[in-house]
Amino acid sequence: ATLITLKYAAADGVTSWERAFSGGPGQFARSGALVLDAAGNAIVAGTLQDGTTTRYRTIKYATADGTQMWNREFAGTAGVASEVSAAAIDLTGNVVVAGAGHNGAYQVWEVVKYAAGDGGVLWSRTRDSVGGNNYAHGVAIDSTGDPVVTGTVFNGTSNDFLTIKFAGADGTPLWQKSLDEPSNQHAS
């Protein structure tokens, strides 16, 4: 499969450009998020699977003609099963991508911050619980540039809502709040 990104003209919806990314034969690709920076450049974050591993794939395209500005892969903490759910742009154009990875036993949150200019990884953080599956479903950037990520974590018997605010500079968790509910929960 292929990740396809199209830019449509605002006035009439005519295709301005189209770009495709395919990891190669036998690979599966799925988009997870699309965000635009202040200049209108498109950042596409998705999942690329080659049969044995699944990784984040984040690509930045120039608004004018779709030229690929950078293309980055993130294999996750254990190098297996990473799936993108959301992305956001911070105050300086850096990209924060959130989703789930796999630690070899169960799903964990994965949050990655990429540099605006070259897509280099500025920091990455995981969040898990005792067993079960944990998913980061949404990310937003507050007025100070700190990412706030929400999702679900397994509490031993069911899923709880969890929201964590990370420091934009280095990804240090600043605070976290959970909502314990008696049945399975899914945040977005």
Side-chain angles (χ1 to χ4, degrees):
T2 302
L3 289 175
I4 297 176
T5 306
L6 297 106
K7 179 181 179 181
Y8 297 106
D12 56 12
V14 171
T15 302
S16 299
W17 52 258
E18 177 179 339
R19 296 295 175 263
F21 176 81
S22 177
Q27 292 196 344
F28 172 79
R30 178 177 49 242
S31 63
L34 167 68
V35 291
L36 302 176
D37 67 12
N41 299 313
I43 297 91
V44 178
T47 302
L48 184 66
Q49 182 179 31
D50 66 10
T52 58
T53 60
T54 307
R55 303 165 303 279
Y56 285 3
R57 176 64 67 170
T58 306
I59 306 169
K60 183 175 183 178
Y61 295 104
T63 188
D65 60 5
T67 299
Q68 191 177 104
M69 299 172 77
W70 50 259
N71 180 338
R72 297 293 179 256
E73 179 179 291
F74 181 76
T77 54
V80 294
S82 296
E83 187 169 337
V84 171
S85 297
I89 304 291
D90 76 6
L91 304 172
T92 59
N94 299 316
V95 182
V96 178
V97 175
H102 202 277
N103 68 4
Y106 51 87
Q107 296 294 113
V108 298
W109 281 30
E110 286 189 331
V111 181
V112 183
K113 184 174 182 179
Y114 298 97
D118 65 3
V121 173
L122 297 173
W123 53 259
S124 66
R125 298 291 177 264
T126 61
R127 170 62 167 87
D128 65 2
S129 60
V130 181
N133 291 321
N134 308 281
Y135 298 94
H137 295 285
V139 60
I141 307 297
D142 74 7
S143 62
T144 65
D146 294 329
V148 180
V149 181
T150 191
T152 53
V153 294
F154 186 68
N155 68 13
T157 57
S158 65
N159 289 326
D160 291 339
F161 292 120
L162 180 67
T163 300
I164 302 175
K165 180 176 181 176
F166 295 94
D170 62 8
T172 300
L174 300 174
W175 55 257
Q176 70 178 35
K177 300 291 180 183
S178 63
L179 176 62
D180 184 15
E181 289 293 321
S183 62
N184 283 334
Q185 305 297 315
H186 299 282
S188 60

